[in-house]
Amino acid sequence: MNSRLTDETITMNGYELIRNQFKNKDTAFTQEEREAHGLVGLIPPCVETIEQQVARCEVQWKELNTVMDKFIYLYHLQQANETLYFKFLLTHIEETLPIVYTPTVGAACVQYSDIWRSWPKGMYLNASMAGSIRKILDNWYNEVDIIVVTDGTRILGLGDIGINGHGIPVGKLALYTVGAGFDPSRVLPITLDLGTNNDPLSPFYMGSRDGHPDEDKYVAYIDEFVAAVKDKWSSCVLQFEDFSKVHAFELLERYRYENRTFNDDIQGTGCIAAATFVNACRATNTTPRDHRFIFLGAGAGGVGVAEALAQLLVGPDYTIEQARKHFYLVDSRGLVTTADEANLAANEHKRPYARDDVPAGTPVRTLMDVVKYAKPTALMGLSTIPGSFTKEIIGEACKNTERPIIFALSNPTSKCEILAQQCSDYSHGKAVYASGSPMPDVDFEGRKIPQYQCNNMYVFPGIGHGAMLAQAKIITEEMISAAATACAKYVPDEEVVKGVLLPRLKDIREISAHVAAAVMEVAFEQGHAMAERPADLVQYARDHQWKVQY
Ligand SMILES: NC(=O)C1=CN([C@@H]2O[C@H](COP(=O)(O)OP(=O)(O)OC[C@H]3O[C@@H](n4cnc5c(N)ncnc54)[C@H](OP(=O)(O)O)[C@@H]3O)[C@@H](O)[C@H]2O)C=CC1
Ligand SMILES: CC(=O)C(=O)O
Ligand SMILES: [Mg+2]
């Protein structure tokens, strides 16, 4: 539903109306509305359509010289008029998403406290609020359909940047509206400002400079937060975002069986990587079981993706243990093996992938060692180490298969394991490539090859929407894998054979409707849905997308 001016709930005077970002139409207020709401004289007299307003934004946008200027411009636009902001995003999706989201949001987060211009978007909860979180949530002004929460401890590949990470929940929620049509007045970005272990060098840093609380206090705080959210907004979806691997897996396990919640970095990333990999297999005429995978990075994203890909290999005649034998995970200590019990004890999420079959004396300390040993057909980068997929590594991978599959998923671009053009050059155009942040088209022997952004943004909006519409009590792995299948299938065979791995971003609303429908279908099948089942799930999802219009 749109937040419409004609709502009976409108009791605001004109001055309040133009300062309300959800109700404001600026020059698009009609003459009748101006007279009815005391707006006459408060805005320029011309009456414009939203298309005319967008045309003005286009001119202003073109005059902005830096990506940071564009980021700040969009933030201001959102603060002034959410409808126009989303209209501009949706009509300029390929230009604006790399600003609102990765890579520019990463640069903006690093400087968030410095570029701050009174952007009261969302909530900030800190350690001193322990014991009062439920009461503090009452300060929020509206009902909430979805919350994206971070504790700022692992923002993209930028590490523990504390309250400056707030740009990520804000950006993710913009994508929830762009992608799945969540009503922007009913979404809530939250940062839990529980300190940072890094020294925020800026004198303007707005968060706590204390280190993180001890483990017991931390978990008690998150318990209180989750319970407070459930009590205040019992039907809202709670998405955990960019929590360090120290807590990401543990918190997912702690809450997933009793709450409508998921972890985007583990499950959303696994989902989109599975969808992209399925299409890479369709494009290369291979099956998932044909592949041997090396992962650089065994954190939240790495293990989330490994588990989602491993599930693609599982079947009646193939167990998850057999599937996991296709995987070799490399972390900062080298190949993850059962010999390194200290590593596994500190990172239980790695244990299912720890190799116990490496012959004594085999060198497996570096990525190159492991590539030579395991002879991969697929390389997955979730390490935050830029340039780690070198020409030599790609050259080795090319010895094992005609078409190696290379996903360089670390964000933002400055952390990416290998750029698209490099991957094409080093593999002589043979690699099937996808990246986490957007990449320009590749020039291969004079031909322009389009690039694919394997990013959870393709699926989390639809997952959240499906869970909300079905009123799913919980969000299960089966719902997530149905979302992956729906996203992969959205690319028809005739496109996939040409190497198209993912749908076009301009179709994101329709993709999200299919993803949401797939999630709902499983929610009804598994008996987790509390809503009544609609006849046509895709149409139902479409009909419940907030329309970007006044
Ligand atoms: N495309 C997408 O949709 C998504 C992309 N990402 C991106 O993936 C990246 C990783 O995220 P996430 O998994 O959550 O981060 P984590 O911090 O959880 O994991 C990082 C992993 O990289 C390993 N690592 C660090 N340095 C090295 C090194 N020099 N050599 C080998 N391994 C190393 C770490 O090793 P150790 O375990 O030993 O510390 C750890 O296993 C980020 O850049 C993030 O933005 C994440 C989610 C979604
Ligand atoms: C995309 C995303 O969630 C990340 O890089 O953390
Ligand atoms: Mg993330």
Side-chain angles (χ1 to χ4, degrees), residues 192-387:
L192 306 178
D193 176 29
L194 299 177
T196 167
N197 285 349
N198 290 324
D199 181 9
L201 297 172
S202 166
F204 301 114
Y205 183 70
M206 298 184 294
S208 160
R209 290 170 186 269
D210 296 340
H212 298 306
D214 68 33
E215 194 58 17
D216 289 349
K217 272 197 187 144
Y218 178 89
V219 174
Y221 191 93
I222 310 289
D223 278 352
E224 183 189 341
F225 168 72
V226 172
V229 165
K230 199 166 182 177
D231 185 61
K232 169 83 179 157
W233 297 295
S234 59
S235 64
C236 98
V237 178
L238 179 59
Q239 178 189 307
F240 282 77
E241 186 67 45
D242 288 5
F243 280 68
S244 148
K245 65 181 159 64
V246 176
H247 293 118
F249 291 94
E250 173 197 345
L251 297 180
L252 176 61
E253 278 309 294
R254 197 170 177 88
Y255 305 120
R256 68 188 302 181
Y257 304 108
E258 286 180 15
N259 297 277
R260 189 175 297 153
T261 191
F262 72 107
N263 180 297
D264 184 40
D265 298 293
I266 300 171
Q267 297 168 289
T269 317
C271 179
I272 189 58
T276 317
F277 194 79
V278 162
N279 284 351
C281 288
R282 285 163 82 195
T284 53
N285 207 16
T286 58
T287 73
R289 281 188 211 164
D290 294 333
H291 290 279
R292 277 182 311 285
F293 304 82
I294 289 185
F295 278 63
L296 189 67
V303 171
V305 171
E307 197 57 10
L309 296 187
Q311 290 297 339
L312 297 175
L313 280 65
V314 172
D317 57 339
Y318 219 68
T319 64
I320 185 70
E321 288 73 27
Q322 287 172 298
R324 287 186 184 132
K325 286 288 174 207
H326 292 241
F327 290 72
Y328 298 79
L329 270 51
V330 179
D331 65 13
S332 63
R333 299 151 77 109
L335 180 66
V336 176
T337 67
T338 50
D340 191 355
E341 179 53 32
N343 189 10
L344 303 183
N347 298 278
E348 281 296 333
H349 60 275
K350 297 177 187 174
R351 196 179 289 281
Y353 289 90
R355 306 288 313 196
D356 60 2
D357 54 357
V358 183
T362 310
V364 286
R365 175 66 192 83
T366 67
L367 177 61
M368 182 55 102
D369 291 340
V370 182
V371 167
K372 286 189 169 161
Y373 165 62
K375 304 197 183 332
T377 57
L379 282 177
M380 301 284 139
L382 294 119
S383 65
T384 76
I385 307 298

Side-chain angles (χ1 to χ4, degrees), residues 66 150 425 446:
T66 69
T150 187
D425 292 346

Side-chain angles (χ1 to χ4, degrees), residues 391-466:
K391 187 174 183 181
E392 292 70 31
I393 295 281
I394 301 297
E396 278 298 316
C398 284
K399 291 182 189 166
N400 309 320
T401 175
E402 188 56 29
R403 313 257 346 249
I405 297 174
I406 317 281
F407 291 176
L409 301 186
S410 289
N411 298 318
T413 317
S414 59
K415 303 290 175 184
C416 180
E417 288 79 8
I418 185 169
L419 304 180
Q421 186 66 53
Q422 294 169 329
C423 192
S424 175
D425 292 346
Y426 300 164
S427 70
H428 307 287
K430 290 184 174 169
V432 177
Y433 173 91
S435 54
S437 293
M439 294 275 162
D441 291 348
V442 157
D443 182 340
F444 179 66
E445 296 178 346
R447 279 186 297 128
K448 291 266 172 239
I449 315 281
Q451 293 306 304
Y452 301 99
Q453 190 182 352
C454 176
N455 190 295
N456 47 33
M457 72 179 172
Y458 271 100
V459 287
F460 65 72
I463 293 173
H465 203 213

